[in-house]
Amino acid sequence: MKQTIPYKFIGGRIAKTGLAVFITAFICHMLDWPAMFAVITAIVTIEPTVADSIRKAYVRFPAAAIGAGFAVLFTFIFGDSPYSYASVSLATIIVCHKLKLHDGMLVATLTGVAMISTVQDHYLSSFFIRLGTTTTGIVVSTAVNFFVMPPNYSTSIIKNIHALYRRSGDILHKRGLEIFNSQGSDGTVRSDFQRLIKDIDKTETLCHYQKAEYRYHRFSREDMRNFHYEYKKLTILRQITYHVGNLIFLPTVLPELEKDRKKAAAAVLEDIKDSLYDPGFLITESHHKKISEVTQWFIEQKQLNPAGGLRPRTHHHVQPETAILYEVLSIHDLIEELNQIQTMEIKHRKLLKAPLEAGAQKGGEQA
């Protein structure tokens, strides 16, 4: 089934950007300051996490001061002319790069260029007003990001990980059937695999965002424990994709198998796919028996072709069939590890619920 993502007209970050712009413009209006520079700063300062907003605020303020300073300097020298715009842009970018103020380079350049047309004879007062508006935008956007709808990526991480496991099961199943049926790949498996890797990277980025949020917002121990388990699952998913990738990028010469072996391999792949689809990564008894047969098959294959023993010796020390069986067994081992993690997670949840239920029952008896 094709998974669809529900469409959201407006997200938390968009709403916070609009709120930060409104508050920033309102403050500048009350102070009779030009709001354009403050609004520009507020827009670019809303980051995915509070930690990023605070960290980059320390960079953007001195960078904006550099841009404003160059705007005043070159406007004094050249006036409102093309030379001023070019000089401010180049000088701001060069100095910010030399000082490693990369996160503030965009704000500094925009501030400096936009400031040229507004600088009049009062150069010093214009400089400090621009610093004031920039500071207002940084402080307001950081405060909005901190207090209004604090970033929480836990739900997205859990949904993504389960969806990614299902997709990895689909890719493995399709590629496995191609291998065991000695069919060439049509290219869709590789493209699906590349998209899977990119989505895993995005989910890992969300995990880093969530870990950064723990420094600035209070989360329960249960939330942090759940995140810990989900991150373990993501790490194992990364390992599974390594083995799936090895199967995808196998040599073009695929092994010819007997009909019974093809049937057994297809059954194992179907069971692995079902386990990856299951939220608890359930492994059935029949699947254990099939894996035992594959293990015996793997041992026989190694004994039959030790480093190309009975077959013509090539530069490959591991025959394709042996490598395929190894990858399948490795993926099964990782699924067993996932099943153990899921079991531990359920036990911890029960241990947390037990005192609460006991307290509620005791309170009921006293009443």
Side-chain angles (χ1 to χ4, degrees):
M1 292 179 62
K2 187 177 180 179
Q3 299 172 10
T4 58
I5 299 174
Y7 175 73
K8 292 176 68 176
F9 176 72
I10 186 169
R13 191 174 175 187
I14 297 174
K16 287 190 289 187
T17 301
L19 180 61
V21 168
F22 172 76
I23 295 174
T24 301
F26 181 77
I27 292 173
C28 291
H29 178 73
M30 296 296 293
L31 296 175
D32 198 22
W33 286 352
M36 178 175 61
F37 307 101
V39 166
I40 291 173
T41 306
I43 290 172
V44 299
T45 306
I46 293 289
E47 295 291 336
T49 65
V50 176
D52 284 342
S53 294
I54 295 174
R55 178 177 59 83
K56 293 181 181 181
Y58 288 107
V59 175
R60 284 172 176 148
F61 178 77
I66 291 170
F70 281 128
V72 171
L73 175 63
F74 289 109
T75 304
F76 175 76
I77 297 173
F78 300 113
D80 188 355
S81 68
Y83 299 106
S84 298
Y85 289 98
S87 300
V88 169
S89 300
L90 289 174
T92 303
I93 292 172
I94 290 171
V95 172
C96 287
H97 178 72
K98 292 294 184 181
L99 297 178
K100 297 182 180 180
L101 303 174
H102 304 293
D103 292 326
M105 193 179 297
L106 176 61
V107 176
T109 307
L110 290 175
T111 299
V113 171
M115 186 176 168
I116 293 172
S117 60
T118 62
V119 174
Q120 306 299 329
D121 295 334
H122 305 287
Y123 296 103
L124 189 61
S125 63
S126 297
F127 173 75
F128 284 109
I129 288 174
R130 299 304 171 261
L131 288 186
T133 55
T134 301
T135 303
T136 302
I138 291 173
V139 172
V140 169
S141 59
T142 303
V144 167
N145 207 18
F146 188 90
F147 293 107
V148 180
M149 291 184 288
N152 188 354
Y153 301 98
S154 299
T155 304
S156 298
I157 290 170
I158 293 171
K159 288 181 179 179
N160 287 357
I161 289 174
H162 287 301
L164 290 169
Y165 267 110
R166 291 192 290 270
R167 287 170 55 187
S168 65
D170 291 334
I171 294 170
L172 172 63
H173 184 258
K174 186 174 181 180
R175 179 54 180 160
L177 292 180
E178 288 179 350
I179 292 172
F180 291 117
N181 292 327
S182 300
Q183 297 176 356
S185 177
D186 58 359
T188 58
V189 174
R190 289 197 179 191
S191 60
D192 290 343
F193 179 74
Q194 295 297 337
R195 284 194 294 269
L196 176 68
I197 294 297
K198 289 180 181 179
D199 290 338
I200 290 174
D201 292 338
K202 291 178 183 178
T203 304
E204 192 161 4
T205 301
L206 293 181
C207 289
H208 293 315
Y209 288 163
Q210 188 61 42
K211 288 173 71 175
E213 284 301 305
Y214 288 145
R215 297 172 54 191
Y216 296 97
H217 291 101
R218 186 174 297 177
F219 290 87
S220 66
R221 292 181 64 184
E222 185 178 0
D223 290 336
M224 297 182 70
R225 184 181 287 110
N226 290 338
F227 172 79
H228 175 68
Y229 283 123
E230 293 301 324
Y231 193 74
K232 273 188 174 181
K233 293 175 189 176
L234 184 63
T235 303
I236 294 176
L237 175 60
R238 179 79 73 175
Q239 293 177 271
I240 289 175
T241 56
Y242 292 151
H243 294 291
V244 174
N246 290 338
L247 290 174
I248 290 174
F249 297 101
L250 277 171
T252 54
V253 180
L254 299 176
E256 289 286 345
L257 302 177
E258 300 173 359
K259 187 176 180 180
D260 293 340
R261 287 281 170 89
K262 287 182 181 180
K263 186 176 179 180
V268 169
L269 290 172
E270 190 69 37
D271 286 348
I272 290 177
K273 178 183 174 182
D274 292 341
S275 296
L276 292 173
Y277 261 73
D278 189 85
F281 305 101
L282 182 65
I283 302 174
T284 61
E285 288 297 327
S286 62
H287 179 57
H288 277 296
K289 292 179 182 179
K290 294 171 187 175
I291 286 296
S292 298
E293 294 175 2
V294 173
T295 304
Q296 185 61 35
W297 180 8
F298 175 69
I299 294 171
E300 293 173 0
Q301 184 66 27
K302 284 202 304 181
Q303 293 174 348
L304 184 64
N305 300 292
L310 298 181
R311 296 184 181 182
R313 183 174 294 278
T314 65
H315 64 283
H316 294 292
H317 294 280
V318 179
Q319 295 299 326
E321 188 173 335
T322 307
I324 292 166
L325 295 174
Y326 169 78
E327 302 299 345
V328 172
L329 291 173
S330 299
I331 292 171
H332 169 76
D333 289 344
L334 291 170
I335 293 175
E336 284 191 333
E337 190 174 344
L338 283 168
N339 182 260
Q340 292 176 0
I341 291 172
Q342 194 70 21
T343 303
M344 290 173 59
E345 186 177 0
I346 293 171
K347 285 182 179 179
H348 279 139
R349 287 177 182 174
K350 288 182 178 179
L351 289 173
L352 287 172
K353 288 181 179 179
L356 296 175
E357 292 175 354
Q361 185 177 2
K362 187 177 179 180
E365 291 175 354
Q366 290 177 352

